[in-house]
Amino acid sequence: MIIAVDGPSASGKGTVAKIISEYFQINYLDTGLLYRALAFKTIKNYKTASLKNALKVVNGLTEDDLSDPQLRLQKFGEIASKLAKEKQIRDALLAFQRNFPNQSNGAVLDGRDIGSIVFPEAQIKLFVTAKLSVRALRRQKDMKRMGQNISFKDVEASLKARDHRDINRAIAPLVCLTDATVVDTSNIPFGSLKKEIIEIVEKKYKSLSLGSSE
Ligand code: C5P
């Protein structure tokens, strides 16, 4: 069983994916971390994150590269979203993402193109979204926890720029697919969100099992 969770930055898709991973006991891959790790490693090794430099790093990424908390810093999100526009980069990261569920009996992955490109055949697809002002406030709090004090206006502008790049890029843009269930996390407490997500997945799973036995 593969579950695809897509949505814009700070929409709560990580929270949704973690709920699914913990409740249904399946592995979770945050694919945004892959792009962030690429940005981080390229800067670390070559100082500038040009496409040429990133291509020297991209095939060497492993799961060990995904655990550094610094990857969450705003600057790596921004560099990641610039590198993510490039076809060569996206193609190089596909194998890593597609091999991930092979480690166990399925997985939940979150990102921008999981349901459209990485796993178009995913049995369950969710599109997680929230109002820009809510997302900006969340991201600002996350950054504060990491010791970065960024104004609400700057966080909001950065999210807007990233949304624009992710939605309008030529390759693998962020889209809300017609076969995805939309989850709006703007005004929902964690407990209710958890209940809603479990219900959606269980209902979808049941309908898939019934379909396959007919
Ligand atoms: O999800 P997160 O904000 O950590 O992702 C960082 C950037 O990586 C995004 O802005 C997006 O440009 C890129 N990304 C992508 N496709 C994915 C996951 C992330 O293009 N599947």
Side-chain angles (χ1 to χ4, degrees):
M1 161 81 69
I2 291 175
I3 303 180
V5 181
D6 288 301
S9 308
S11 57
K13 58 188 187 310
T15 303
V16 167
K18 273 184 221 146
I19 289 172
I20 295 172
S21 164
E22 277 163 25
Y23 189 84
F24 296 99
Q25 294 290 297
I26 54 175
N27 286 348
Y28 164 42
L29 178 65
D30 173 350
T31 65
L33 280 181
L34 258 185
Y35 289 87
R36 285 170 180 266
L38 174 65
F40 180 80
K41 221 173 169 178
T42 307
I43 295 279
K44 195 171 149 206
N45 293 358
Y46 299 102
K47 304 268 188 290
T48 52
S50 63
L51 173 61
K52 195 171 155 222
N53 289 340
L55 286 171
K56 291 184 217 160
V57 170
V58 73
N59 289 315
L61 288 177
T62 67
E63 271 185 61
D64 290 342
D65 294 312
L66 310 185
S67 52
D68 192 326
Q70 285 192 75
L71 299 182
R72 302 275 178 198
L73 292 174
Q74 175 153 306
K75 68 173 177 183
F76 296 119
E78 280 166 13
I79 301 168
S81 107
K82 288 178 188 156
L83 292 173
K85 289 192 307 186
E86 306 292 342
K87 180 171 166 33
Q88 286 162 285
I89 297 289
R90 304 201 71 85
D91 286 351
L93 293 178
L94 265 183
F96 187 107
Q97 297 170 84
R98 286 186 176 152
N99 286 335
F100 182 77
N102 295 336
Q103 299 173 2
S104 59
N105 61 339
V108 53
L109 295 91
D110 79 28
R112 304 292 185 294
D113 62 338
I114 308 303
S116 58
I117 306 286
V118 183
F119 287 110
E121 74 283 16
Q123 288 89 343
I124 300 179
K125 297 181 185 180
L126 302 177
F127 186 84
V128 182
T129 186
K131 278 193 276 197
L132 179 66
S133 57
V134 174
R135 295 195 282 127
L137 203 61
R138 278 181 195 156
R139 189 45 58 91
Q140 191 192 24
K141 282 186 188 157
D142 288 346
M143 291 301 112
K144 201 164 182 187
R145 271 195 291 272
M146 295 187 67
Q148 274 202 310
N149 277 312
I150 311 173
S151 74
F152 178 82
K153 241 177 106 190
D154 285 353
V155 179
E156 196 178 44
S158 163
L159 285 182
K160 240 180 167 173
R162 273 215 280 149
D163 284 355
H164 187 266
R165 258 197 303 272
D166 291 346
I167 292 166
N168 294 295
R169 67 183 173 217
I171 308 146
L174 172 66
V175 278
C176 179
L177 300 165
T178 51
D179 57 347
T181 304
V182 178
V183 178
D184 190 324
T185 68
S186 301
N187 294 309
I188 182 164
F190 180 79
S192 315
L193 177 67
K194 184 171 174 184
K195 193 166 166 272
E196 182 184 337
I197 297 301
I198 292 168
E199 272 171 18
I200 292 172
V201 174
E202 279 181 336
K203 201 167 154 202
K204 191 83 193 164
Y205 184 70
K206 249 183 221 156
S207 73
L208 289 169
S209 323
L210 287 175
S212 64
S213 63
E214 276 167 9

Short mmCIF file of all heavy atoms in Angstrom, two decimals, residues 161-206:
data_model
loop_
_atom_site.label_atom_id
_atom_site.label_comp_id
_atom_site.label_asym_id
_atom_site.label_seq_id
_atom_site.Cartn_x
_atom_site.Cartn_y
_atom_site.Cartn_z
N ALA A 161 6.75 32.87 -2.53
CA ALA A 161 7.70 32.71 -3.65
C ALA A 161 7.88 31.23 -3.95
O ALA A 161 7.94 30.80 -5.12
CB ALA A 161 9.04 33.35 -3.29
N ARG A 162 7.97 30.42 -2.88
CA ARG A 162 8.15 28.97 -3.08
C ARG A 162 6.91 28.34 -3.70
O ARG A 162 7.00 27.52 -4.60
CB ARG A 162 8.49 28.30 -1.76
CG ARG A 162 9.98 28.35 -1.53
CD ARG A 162 10.47 27.14 -0.85
NE ARG A 162 10.25 27.19 0.58
CZ ARG A 162 10.04 26.11 1.30
NH1 ARG A 162 9.99 24.92 0.73
NH2 ARG A 162 9.89 26.20 2.59
N ASP A 163 5.73 28.76 -3.22
CA ASP A 163 4.47 28.26 -3.80
C ASP A 163 4.47 28.56 -5.30
O ASP A 163 4.13 27.70 -6.11
CB ASP A 163 3.25 28.98 -3.20
CG ASP A 163 2.91 28.49 -1.80
OD1 ASP A 163 3.56 27.55 -1.33
OD2 ASP A 163 2.01 29.08 -1.18
N HIS A 164 4.83 29.80 -5.62
CA HIS A 164 4.79 30.22 -7.02
C HIS A 164 5.72 29.35 -7.87
O HIS A 164 5.33 28.86 -8.92
CB HIS A 164 5.16 31.71 -7.14
CG HIS A 164 4.97 32.23 -8.52
ND1 HIS A 164 5.99 32.27 -9.44
CD2 HIS A 164 3.86 32.68 -9.15
CE1 HIS A 164 5.51 32.73 -10.58
NE2 HIS A 164 4.23 33.00 -10.44
N ARG A 165 6.93 29.13 -7.37
CA ARG A 165 7.89 28.30 -8.11
C ARG A 165 7.38 26.86 -8.24
O ARG A 165 7.43 26.25 -9.30
CB ARG A 165 9.24 28.28 -7.39
CG ARG A 165 10.29 29.17 -8.01
CD ARG A 165 11.69 28.81 -7.55
NE ARG A 165 11.85 28.85 -6.11
CZ ARG A 165 12.18 29.94 -5.42
NH1 ARG A 165 12.39 31.07 -6.02
NH2 ARG A 165 12.32 29.90 -4.12
N ASP A 166 6.86 26.31 -7.11
CA ASP A 166 6.45 24.90 -7.11
C ASP A 166 5.21 24.65 -8.00
O ASP A 166 5.09 23.61 -8.62
CB ASP A 166 6.15 24.43 -5.67
CG ASP A 166 7.42 24.35 -4.81
OD1 ASP A 166 8.52 24.40 -5.38
OD2 ASP A 166 7.29 24.25 -3.58
N ILE A 167 4.32 25.66 -8.04
CA ILE A 167 3.08 25.48 -8.81
C ILE A 167 3.31 25.74 -10.31
O ILE A 167 2.71 25.10 -11.16
CB ILE A 167 1.98 26.43 -8.26
CG1 ILE A 167 1.56 25.98 -6.86
CG2 ILE A 167 0.76 26.48 -9.18
CD1 ILE A 167 0.74 26.99 -6.09
N ASN A 168 4.22 26.67 -10.60
CA ASN A 168 4.36 27.09 -12.00
C ASN A 168 5.53 26.47 -12.75
O ASN A 168 5.74 26.78 -13.92
CB ASN A 168 4.47 28.62 -12.07
CG ASN A 168 3.17 29.26 -11.62
OD1 ASN A 168 2.14 29.10 -12.27
ND2 ASN A 168 3.21 29.91 -10.47
N ARG A 169 6.29 25.61 -12.10
CA ARG A 169 7.44 25.04 -12.82
C ARG A 169 6.95 24.09 -13.93
O ARG A 169 5.84 23.51 -13.83
CB ARG A 169 8.40 24.35 -11.86
CG ARG A 169 7.85 23.12 -11.23
CD ARG A 169 8.84 22.52 -10.23
NE ARG A 169 8.22 21.43 -9.51
CZ ARG A 169 8.42 21.15 -8.23
NH1 ARG A 169 9.24 21.88 -7.51
NH2 ARG A 169 7.83 20.13 -7.68
N ALA A 170 7.80 23.94 -14.93
CA ALA A 170 7.39 23.14 -16.10
C ALA A 170 7.34 21.65 -15.76
O ALA A 170 6.47 20.92 -16.26
CB ALA A 170 8.37 23.39 -17.23
N ILE A 171 8.26 21.21 -14.91
CA ILE A 171 8.33 19.77 -14.61
C ILE A 171 7.77 19.48 -13.22
O ILE A 171 8.16 20.13 -12.24
CB ILE A 171 9.79 19.27 -14.67
CG1 ILE A 171 10.40 19.70 -16.00
CG2 ILE A 171 9.90 17.77 -14.50
CD1 ILE A 171 11.85 20.03 -15.89
N ALA A 172 6.92 18.48 -13.13
CA ALA A 172 6.36 18.01 -11.84
C ALA A 172 5.85 19.15 -10.96
O ALA A 172 6.24 19.25 -9.79
CB ALA A 172 7.41 17.18 -11.10
N PRO A 173 4.99 20.02 -11.49
CA PRO A 173 4.47 21.10 -10.63
C PRO A 173 3.54 20.55 -9.54
O PRO A 173 3.02 19.45 -9.67
CB PRO A 173 3.69 21.98 -11.62
CG PRO A 173 3.28 21.06 -12.71
CD PRO A 173 4.38 20.03 -12.83
N LEU A 174 3.38 21.36 -8.50
CA LEU A 174 2.43 20.98 -7.44
C LEU A 174 1.01 21.15 -7.98
O LEU A 174 0.65 22.24 -8.42
CB LEU A 174 2.64 21.90 -6.24
CG LEU A 174 1.61 21.77 -5.11
CD1 LEU A 174 1.70 20.42 -4.44
CD2 LEU A 174 1.81 22.87 -4.07
N VAL A 175 0.24 20.06 -7.98
CA VAL A 175 -1.15 20.13 -8.45
C VAL A 175 -2.05 19.37 -7.49
O VAL A 175 -1.60 18.41 -6.85
CB VAL A 175 -1.37 19.48 -9.85
CG1 VAL A 175 -0.99 20.41 -10.97
CG2 VAL A 175 -0.67 18.14 -9.98
N CYS A 176 -3.29 19.81 -7.42
CA CYS A 176 -4.26 19.04 -6.63
C CYS A 176 -4.94 18.09 -7.62
O CYS A 176 -5.72 18.51 -8.48
CB CYS A 176 -5.27 19.99 -5.99
SG CYS A 176 -6.49 19.11 -5.04
N LEU A 177 -4.63 16.82 -7.52
CA LEU A 177 -5.12 15.83 -8.49
C LEU A 177 -6.62 15.56 -8.29
O LEU A 177 -7.12 15.64 -7.16
CB LEU A 177 -4.35 14.51 -8.32
CG LEU A 177 -2.84 14.61 -8.54
CD1 LEU A 177 -2.14 13.36 -8.01
CD2 LEU A 177 -2.52 14.81 -10.02
N THR A 178 -7.27 15.17 -9.37
CA THR A 178 -8.71 14.91 -9.24
C THR A 178 -8.98 13.66 -8.40
O THR A 178 -10.05 13.52 -7.81
CB THR A 178 -9.36 14.72 -10.63
OG1 THR A 178 -8.60 13.75 -11.34
CG2 THR A 178 -9.41 16.01 -11.41
N ASP A 179 -8.01 12.74 -8.34
CA ASP A 179 -8.24 11.53 -7.52
C ASP A 179 -7.67 11.66 -6.10
O ASP A 179 -7.53 10.67 -5.38
CB ASP A 179 -7.69 10.27 -8.22
CG ASP A 179 -6.21 10.36 -8.57
OD1 ASP A 179 -5.65 11.48 -8.50
OD2 ASP A 179 -5.60 9.32 -8.89
N ALA A 180 -7.35 12.90 -5.70
CA ALA A 180 -6.84 13.10 -4.33
C ALA A 180 -7.96 13.61 -3.42
O ALA A 180 -8.85 14.34 -3.87
CB ALA A 180 -5.71 14.11 -4.34
N THR A 181 -7.90 13.22 -2.15
CA THR A 181 -8.83 13.76 -1.15
C THR A 181 -8.18 14.99 -0.54
O THR A 181 -7.04 14.95 -0.09
CB THR A 181 -9.08 12.71 -0.04
OG1 THR A 181 -9.55 11.51 -0.66
CG2 THR A 181 -10.10 13.20 0.97
N VAL A 182 -8.92 16.11 -0.54
CA VAL A 182 -8.36 17.36 -0.02
C VAL A 182 -8.58 17.45 1.49
O VAL A 182 -9.68 17.21 1.99
CB VAL A 182 -9.02 18.58 -0.73
CG1 VAL A 182 -8.48 19.89 -0.15
CG2 VAL A 182 -8.77 18.52 -2.23
N VAL A 183 -7.51 17.80 2.20
CA VAL A 183 -7.59 17.98 3.66
C VAL A 183 -7.12 19.39 3.96
O VAL A 183 -5.97 19.73 3.68
CB VAL A 183 -6.68 16.96 4.39
CG1 VAL A 183 -6.73 17.18 5.90
CG2 VAL A 183 -7.06 15.53 4.05
N ASP A 184 -8.00 20.22 4.52
CA ASP A 184 -7.61 21.59 4.87
C ASP A 184 -7.31 21.64 6.37
O ASP A 184 -8.18 21.36 7.18
CB ASP A 184 -8.75 22.56 4.52
CG ASP A 184 -8.32 24.02 4.64
OD1 ASP A 184 -7.53 24.33 5.56
OD2 ASP A 184 -8.76 24.85 3.82
N THR A 185 -6.07 21.97 6.70
CA THR A 185 -5.66 21.93 8.11
C THR A 185 -5.69 23.31 8.77
O THR A 185 -5.18 23.47 9.88
CB THR A 185 -4.22 21.35 8.25
OG1 THR A 185 -3.30 22.30 7.69
CG2 THR A 185 -4.07 20.01 7.56
N SER A 186 -6.28 24.31 8.09
CA SER A 186 -6.22 25.70 8.62
C SER A 186 -6.75 25.83 10.04
O SER A 186 -6.12 26.47 10.87
CB SER A 186 -7.03 26.65 7.73
OG SER A 186 -6.54 26.64 6.43
N ASN A 187 -7.93 25.25 10.30
CA ASN A 187 -8.57 25.51 11.60
C ASN A 187 -8.92 24.24 12.33
O ASN A 187 -10.00 24.13 12.90
CB ASN A 187 -9.86 26.32 11.37
CG ASN A 187 -9.56 27.68 10.82
OD1 ASN A 187 -8.73 28.40 11.38
ND2 ASN A 187 -10.20 28.02 9.72
N ILE A 188 -8.05 23.26 12.32
CA ILE A 188 -8.44 21.98 12.90
C ILE A 188 -7.43 21.56 13.97
O ILE A 188 -6.22 21.53 13.72
CB ILE A 188 -8.60 20.92 11.77
CG1 ILE A 188 -9.06 19.58 12.32
CG2 ILE A 188 -7.35 20.74 10.94
CD1 ILE A 188 -9.59 18.64 11.24
N PRO A 189 -7.91 21.28 15.19
CA PRO A 189 -6.98 20.84 16.23
C PRO A 189 -6.42 19.44 15.90
O PRO A 189 -7.04 18.68 15.15
CB PRO A 189 -7.83 20.79 17.50
CG PRO A 189 -9.23 21.01 17.09
CD PRO A 189 -9.30 21.34 15.64
N PHE A 190 -5.25 19.14 16.48
CA PHE A 190 -4.55 17.90 16.13
C PHE A 190 -5.42 16.65 16.29
O PHE A 190 -5.46 15.78 15.43
CB PHE A 190 -3.26 17.76 16.95
CG PHE A 190 -2.52 16.50 16.63
CD1 PHE A 190 -1.73 16.41 15.50
CD2 PHE A 190 -2.63 15.38 17.45
CE1 PHE A 190 -1.07 15.24 15.18
CE2 PHE A 190 -1.97 14.20 17.14
CZ PHE A 190 -1.18 14.13 16.01
N GLY A 191 -6.17 16.58 17.42
CA GLY A 191 -6.99 15.39 17.70
C GLY A 191 -8.02 15.15 16.60
O GLY A 191 -8.21 14.00 16.16
N SER A 192 -8.68 16.23 16.15
CA SER A 192 -9.69 16.10 15.10
C SER A 192 -9.04 15.74 13.77
O SER A 192 -9.59 14.96 12.98
CB SER A 192 -10.47 17.40 14.92
OG SER A 192 -10.83 17.93 16.16
N LEU A 193 -7.87 16.32 13.51
CA LEU A 193 -7.16 16.02 12.27
C LEU A 193 -6.81 14.53 12.23
O LEU A 193 -7.04 13.84 11.23
CB LEU A 193 -5.89 16.87 12.16
CG LEU A 193 -5.02 16.60 10.93
CD1 LEU A 193 -5.74 17.04 9.66
CD2 LEU A 193 -3.68 17.35 11.02
N LYS A 194 -6.30 14.04 13.36
CA LYS A 194 -5.90 12.63 13.43
C LYS A 194 -7.09 11.73 13.12
O LYS A 194 -7.00 10.79 12.32
CB LYS A 194 -5.34 12.34 14.83
CG LYS A 194 -4.82 10.95 14.98
CD LYS A 194 -4.08 10.76 16.29
CE LYS A 194 -3.73 9.28 16.44
NZ LYS A 194 -3.10 8.98 17.69
N LYS A 195 -8.24 12.04 13.74
CA LYS A 195 -9.45 11.25 13.54
C LYS A 195 -9.86 11.29 12.06
O LYS A 195 -10.16 10.25 11.46
CB LYS A 195 -10.55 11.84 14.44
CG LYS A 195 -11.75 10.96 14.59
CD LYS A 195 -12.62 11.49 15.76
CE LYS A 195 -13.98 10.83 15.71
NZ LYS A 195 -14.95 11.52 14.89
N GLU A 196 -9.83 12.50 11.49
CA GLU A 196 -10.26 12.66 10.09
C GLU A 196 -9.36 11.85 9.15
O GLU A 196 -9.84 11.14 8.26
CB GLU A 196 -10.21 14.15 9.72
CG GLU A 196 -10.67 14.42 8.29
CD GLU A 196 -10.55 15.90 7.89
OE1 GLU A 196 -10.52 16.78 8.76
OE2 GLU A 196 -10.45 16.14 6.67
N ILE A 197 -8.04 11.92 9.39
CA ILE A 197 -7.10 11.24 8.50
C ILE A 197 -7.27 9.72 8.59
O ILE A 197 -7.32 9.02 7.58
CB ILE A 197 -5.62 11.62 8.87
CG1 ILE A 197 -5.41 13.12 8.66
CG2 ILE A 197 -4.61 10.80 8.09
CD1 ILE A 197 -5.66 13.62 7.27
N ILE A 198 -7.39 9.22 9.82
CA ILE A 198 -7.55 7.76 10.00
C ILE A 198 -8.83 7.29 9.30
O ILE A 198 -8.85 6.27 8.62
CB ILE A 198 -7.53 7.39 11.50
CG1 ILE A 198 -6.13 7.66 12.06
CG2 ILE A 198 -7.92 5.93 11.73
CD1 ILE A 198 -6.03 7.62 13.57
N GLU A 199 -9.90 8.09 9.45
CA GLU A 199 -11.17 7.73 8.81
C GLU A 199 -11.04 7.70 7.28
O GLU A 199 -11.51 6.77 6.63
CB GLU A 199 -12.26 8.73 9.21
CG GLU A 199 -12.97 8.33 10.49
CD GLU A 199 -13.89 9.43 11.02
OE1 GLU A 199 -14.26 10.35 10.24
OE2 GLU A 199 -14.22 9.37 12.21
N ILE A 200 -10.40 8.72 6.74
CA ILE A 200 -10.25 8.79 5.27
C ILE A 200 -9.49 7.56 4.77
O ILE A 200 -9.89 6.88 3.82
CB ILE A 200 -9.49 10.08 4.83
CG1 ILE A 200 -10.32 11.33 5.10
CG2 ILE A 200 -9.10 10.01 3.36
CD1 ILE A 200 -9.58 12.65 4.88
N VAL A 201 -8.37 7.26 5.44
CA VAL A 201 -7.53 6.14 4.98
C VAL A 201 -8.26 4.82 5.13
O VAL A 201 -8.25 3.98 4.22
CB VAL A 201 -6.16 6.14 5.71
CG1 VAL A 201 -5.34 4.92 5.34
CG2 VAL A 201 -5.38 7.41 5.39
N GLU A 202 -8.92 4.63 6.29
CA GLU A 202 -9.63 3.35 6.50
C GLU A 202 -10.75 3.16 5.49
O GLU A 202 -10.93 2.08 4.95
CB GLU A 202 -10.17 3.28 7.94
CG GLU A 202 -9.06 2.86 8.90
CD GLU A 202 -9.51 2.75 10.34
OE1 GLU A 202 -10.50 3.41 10.71
OE2 GLU A 202 -8.83 2.02 11.09
N LYS A 203 -11.49 4.23 5.23
CA LYS A 203 -12.62 4.17 4.29
C LYS A 203 -12.10 3.82 2.89
O LYS A 203 -12.63 2.94 2.20
CB LYS A 203 -13.32 5.53 4.27
CG LYS A 203 -14.73 5.46 3.76
CD LYS A 203 -15.46 6.78 4.06
CE LYS A 203 -16.57 6.93 3.03
NZ LYS A 203 -17.00 8.29 2.86
N LYS A 204 -11.03 4.51 2.50
CA LYS A 204 -10.47 4.30 1.17
C LYS A 204 -9.93 2.86 1.06
O LYS A 204 -10.13 2.18 0.06
CB LYS A 204 -9.34 5.33 0.98
CG LYS A 204 -8.81 5.45 -0.39
CD LYS A 204 -9.67 6.37 -1.25
CE LYS A 204 -9.25 6.16 -2.69
NZ LYS A 204 -10.14 6.65 -3.67
N TYR A 205 -9.27 2.41 2.14
CA TYR A 205 -8.68 1.07 2.14
C TYR A 205 -9.77 0.00 2.01
O TYR A 205 -9.65 -0.95 1.25
CB TYR A 205 -7.87 0.86 3.42
CG TYR A 205 -7.15 -0.46 3.46
CD1 TYR A 205 -6.07 -0.69 2.62
CD2 TYR A 205 -7.57 -1.48 4.30
CE1 TYR A 205 -5.42 -1.91 2.62
CE2 TYR A 205 -6.93 -2.70 4.32
CZ TYR A 205 -5.85 -2.91 3.47
OH TYR A 205 -5.22 -4.12 3.47
N LYS A 206 -10.87 0.23 2.74
CA LYS A 206 -12.00 -0.71 2.69
C LYS A 206 -12.57 -0.77 1.28
O LYS A 206 -12.84 -1.85 0.75
CB LYS A 206 -13.11 -0.26 3.65
CG LYS A 206 -13.26 -1.20 4.82
CD LYS A 206 -14.42 -0.77 5.70
CE LYS A 206 -14.03 -0.94 7.16
NZ LYS A 206 -14.77 -0.08 8.04
#
